[in-house]
Amino acid sequence: MSNKKDLKLRVKTVVGHMKGIEKMIDEDKYCIDIINQITAIQSSLRKISDQLLEDHLHSCVKSAIKRGDDEEVLGELMEVLKHRTQK
Amino acid sequence: MSNKKDLKLRVKTVVGHMKGIEKMIDEDKYCIDIINQITAIQSSLRKISDQLLEDHLHSCVKSAIKRGDDEEVLGELMEVLKHRTQK
Amino acid sequence: MSNKKDLKLRVKTVVGHMKGIEKMIDEDKYCIDIINQITAIQSSLRKISDQLLEDHLHSCVKSAIKRGDDEEVLGELMEVLKHRTQK
Amino acid sequence: MSNKKDLKLRVKTVVGHMKGIEKMIDEDKYCIDIINQITAIQSSLRKISDQLLEDHLHSCVKSAIKRGDDEEVLGELMEVLKHRTQK
């Protein structure tokens, strides 16, 4: 997995933001402000997902196709792509 | 904020799942499995956001409209609704 | 329904773009170009949906809450908001 | 392009549904009903986009990788995947 350090940092940042959400709920902060924070976290998660997907394309998908073993890896990829847009 | 306890439990669950993601990255787990986990977390986050939105409609939006003070609260609500679908 | 003329113009524009998609498929255009056109159409549809939602908030939701008849209209609104993000 | 006939039929169906939306707006139908129709159309569009993407993976992406010419096609693919989730 390339850029592992960067990925882990992004994930830690999301964990920190999620703890912030917990605090906002605890302190009865305004719902709209909490919803906007969640929307920002979802955007960060999508970027982490994009980065993993890019990694996957350039490693596993590429080598599977080169081996002529593409049916399974492309089928799996389509399932992920369908679910990503329905989250 | 109604059902605060339930909301906080959901948020704690997401924090736990995010730590699981960090571990998966650390252990070089298969990218597709990590992406699917992130998609599941995004779905949980959307449910938390839905719950907060429902709360907001039945409390702040309702009372603002009853006071005749709806312009700002409805404008703010639309901004949130637009961003939620673009996350 | 306010700004009906504008809404109908937007819808006609989407119909025109959809006919363009049909032509692109007919002429075996590059898949990526067709997918990008569909993404643009989805964005236009979301804006039409946003406009209708804004209209609904300022008319039906507002008057129902003023009448004290909010349970059904807010329940209905939440269902729409949940489905919009799962499309 | 495989299953071209099926793709064109799906696109024609969406065009028909869009004309239905125009009629609903003309007849001042209830906003929520129109919004739900638009959500259904967005779901149909996403399925057409999925089908084109699947075609693209099994044709252009696969042959480009086999030729060793993957940088551009994978970069292009990532751009589409990023935009699809932000529509």
Side-chain angles (χ1 to χ4, degrees):
Chain A
M1 200 178 285
S2 70
N3 52 45
K4 203 164 149 179
K5 220 174 122 201
D6 175 54
L7 274 173
K8 284 180 69 181
L9 185 65
R10 286 174 183 256
V11 170
K12 277 189 200 293
T13 308
V14 168
V15 171
H17 287 166
M18 280 308 300
K19 287 181 179 168
I21 297 275
E22 199 180 338
K23 198 161 168 283
M24 289 176 89
I25 291 171
D26 223 18
E27 295 167 359
D28 279 304
K29 293 294 185 195
Y30 191 47
C31 287
I32 293 287
D33 295 338
I34 305 175
I35 292 170
N36 284 332
Q37 272 293 88
I38 291 175
T39 300
I41 288 172
Q42 286 176 310
S43 180
S44 308
L45 281 174
R46 197 169 34 69
K47 285 184 185 118
I48 295 170
S49 181
D50 284 348
Q51 204 172 320
L52 287 162
L53 189 57
E54 193 152 21
D55 246 23
H56 184 64
L57 289 177
H58 286 277
S59 54
C60 304
V61 171
K62 197 166 131 181
S63 48
I65 287 176
K66 287 202 171 203
R67 287 194 313 268
D69 184 15
D70 44 81
E71 277 311 308
E72 199 191 329
V73 81
L74 291 182
E76 188 184 57
L77 182 59
M78 268 316 297
E79 278 314 300
V80 167
L81 299 180
K82 285 178 186 172
H83 275 99
R84 264 174 42 114
T85 48
Q86 289 165 359
K87 68 200 175 296
Chain B
M1 201 179 285
S2 71
N3 51 46
K4 203 164 150 179
K5 217 174 126 201
D6 176 52
L7 274 172
K8 283 180 70 181
L9 185 64
R10 286 174 183 254
V11 170
K12 277 188 199 296
T13 307
V14 167
V15 171
H17 287 166
M18 280 307 300
K19 287 180 179 170
I21 297 274
E22 199 179 339
K23 198 162 170 282
M24 289 175 89
I25 291 170
D26 223 19
E27 295 166 358
D28 280 305
K29 294 292 185 195
Y30 191 46
C31 287
I32 293 287
D33 296 337
I34 306 175
I35 292 170
N36 284 331
Q37 272 292 89
I38 291 175
T39 300
I41 288 173
Q42 284 175 311
S43 181
S44 308
L45 282 173
R46 198 166 35 69
K47 284 184 186 118
I48 296 171
S49 179
D50 284 348
Q51 206 172 318
L52 287 161
L53 188 58
E54 194 152 20
D55 247 22
H56 183 65
L57 289 176
H58 286 277
S59 54
C60 305
V61 172
K62 198 166 131 180
S63 48
I65 287 177
K66 288 202 168 196
R67 286 194 313 269
D69 185 14
D70 43 83
E71 276 312 309
E72 199 192 328
V73 81
L74 291 182
E76 187 184 59
L77 182 59
M78 268 317 296
E79 277 314 300
V80 166
L81 299 180
K82 284 177 185 171
H83 275 100
R84 263 174 43 114
T85 48
Q86 289 166 359
K87 75 216 176 277
Chain C
M1 200 178 287
S2 70
N3 52 46
K4 203 164 150 179
K5 218 174 124 203
D6 176 53
L7 275 172
K8 283 180 69 181
L9 185 64
R10 286 173 182 256
V11 170
K12 277 189 200 297
T13 307
V14 167
V15 171
H17 287 166
M18 281 307 301
K19 287 180 178 167
I21 296 275
E22 200 180 338
K23 200 162 168 282
M24 289 175 89
I25 291 170
D26 223 17
E27 295 167 357
D28 279 305
K29 294 294 185 192
Y30 190 46
C31 286
I32 292 287
D33 296 337
I34 305 174
I35 292 170
N36 284 331
Q37 272 292 87
I38 291 175
T39 301
I41 288 172
Q42 286 176 309
S43 181
S44 307
L45 282 173
R46 198 168 33 68
K47 285 184 185 117
I48 295 170
S49 180
D50 284 347
Q51 205 173 319
L52 287 161
L53 188 59
E54 192 152 21
D55 246 23
H56 184 64
L57 289 176
H58 286 276
S59 54
C60 304
V61 172
K62 197 165 133 182
S63 48
I65 287 178
K66 289 204 168 199
R67 286 195 312 269
D69 184 15
D70 45 82
E71 277 311 308
E72 199 191 328
V73 81
L74 291 182
E76 188 183 59
L77 182 58
M78 268 316 296
E79 277 315 300
V80 166
L81 299 179
K82 284 177 185 173
H83 275 99
R84 263 172 45 112
T85 48
Q86 289 166 359
K87 71 200 175 299
Chain D
M1 201 177 287
S2 71
N3 52 46
K4 203 162 147 179
K5 220 175 123 201
D6 176 53
L7 274 173
K8 284 179 70 180
L9 184 64
R10 285 174 183 256
V11 170
K12 278 189 199 295
T13 307
V14 167
V15 171
H17 287 166
M18 281 307 301
K19 287 180 179 168
I21 297 275
E22 200 180 337
K23 200 162 168 283
M24 289 175 89
I25 292 171
D26 223 18
E27 295 167 356
D28 279 306
K29 293 293 185 193
Y30 191 45
C31 286
I32 292 288
D33 295 338
I34 305 174
I35 291 170
N36 284 331
Q37 272 292 88
I38 291 175
T39 300
I41 288 172
Q42 285 176 313
S43 182
S44 308
L45 282 173
R46 197 167 36 67
K47 284 182 185 123
I48 296 170
S49 179
D50 284 348
Q51 206 172 319
L52 286 161
L53 188 58
E54 194 152 19
D55 248 21
H56 183 64
L57 289 176
H58 286 275
S59 54
C60 303
V61 171
K62 198 165 133 180
S63 48
I65 287 177
K66 289 202 169 200
R67 287 193 314 268
D69 185 14
D70 44 82
E71 276 312 306
E72 198 191 329
V73 81
L74 292 182
E76 188 184 58
L77 182 59
M78 268 317 296
E79 277 314 299
V80 167
L81 300 181
K82 285 177 185 171
H83 276 98
R84 265 174 41 115
T85 49
Q86 288 164 0
K87 79 226 171 268

